[in-house]
Amino acid sequence: MANLTPSGDVFASFVAINFGSFESLHNVKSLIEHCQTKVKERDDSFFTKTDDLHISLSSLFPLPRRDTDSFVGLVSRLVRRSSRFSVTLKDCSSYPSKDQTKSFIGMNVVQGDQEIRELVEGINTILGQRGLEEFSRGSIRPHLTIAWSPNILSSEVRPFFDTVESEQLLVSHIRCRVGNQTYN
């Protein structure tokens, strides 16, 4: 993940649904270990678990310090209009970064994806009003990010991800991170 320290009057920022640590998901911990073993057998790639389990609702974007309060306020209002919902996760996929320099490993959202798309569209509207880059408009594939690799994964590795049992999680809060400050 990019450094979230301020650069002058601009903070690296993002919005995500946060689920906490790996201990909260039964299948994820064993999945990562399984994938690491299989990938090392076929590829020099390796995985690093994410520090926190999350579903991204935005890309990393620069937010001027002067816009922090209004941005967080607009995101809070958007979230309050959304009702709580559950997501069901099934299987895994690899997702290349926008710049094609690394891969993210994610459990696919198979239920609750429409609610996630609506949140992304709302956040995209807020970002667009500020002239900031929107998140994957039109090609949103909601997933719970669980790990990343410094390489683009080969197609030979991807079939090992299709063996995960489903998990169901309640979306209880969304976080907005601006620099090193987190807003829930």
Side-chain angles (χ1 to χ4, degrees), residues 93-96 108-109 117 136 139-144:
S93 295
S94 65
Y95 300 87
N108 304 315
V109 175
R117 283 184 177 88
S136 305
S139 62
I140 301 166
R141 293 177 28 207
H143 61 278
L144 177 78

Side-chain angles (χ1 to χ4, degrees), residues 32-129:
I32 293 296
E33 292 165 1
H34 173 73
C35 287
Q36 283 177 322
T37 301
K38 293 298 184 182
V39 169
K40 284 179 184 176
E41 290 173 1
R42 299 201 181 225
D43 199 317
D44 288 336
S45 300
F46 67 92
F47 298 99
T48 302
K49 291 185 223 179
T50 57
D51 293 333
D52 60 346
L53 299 170
H54 67 277
I55 297 174
S56 296
L57 300 176
S58 76
S59 298
L60 198 60
F61 59 91
L63 185 66
R65 179 188 311 254
R66 69 182 178 279
D67 291 344
T68 299
D69 291 339
S70 64
F71 181 83
V72 170
L74 289 169
V75 170
S76 294
R77 280 192 286 280
L78 172 69
V79 170
R80 279 195 302 270
R81 287 194 307 259
S82 301
S83 57
R84 290 173 63 157
F85 62 96
S86 293
V87 294
T88 301
L89 308 166
K90 177 80 173 116
D91 297 331
C92 283
S93 295
S94 65
Y95 300 87
S97 62
K98 226 187 265 190
D99 61 4
Q100 300 288 311
T101 60
K102 60 187 165 219
S103 294
F104 296 97
I105 312 305
M107 292 182 75
N108 304 315
V109 175
V110 295
Q111 179 205 346
D113 56 322
Q114 185 58 41
E115 290 89 340
I116 291 169
R117 283 184 177 88
E118 289 170 9
L119 287 168
V120 169
E121 289 302 317
I123 291 166
N124 276 346
T125 298
I126 297 168
L127 291 169
Q129 291 168 346

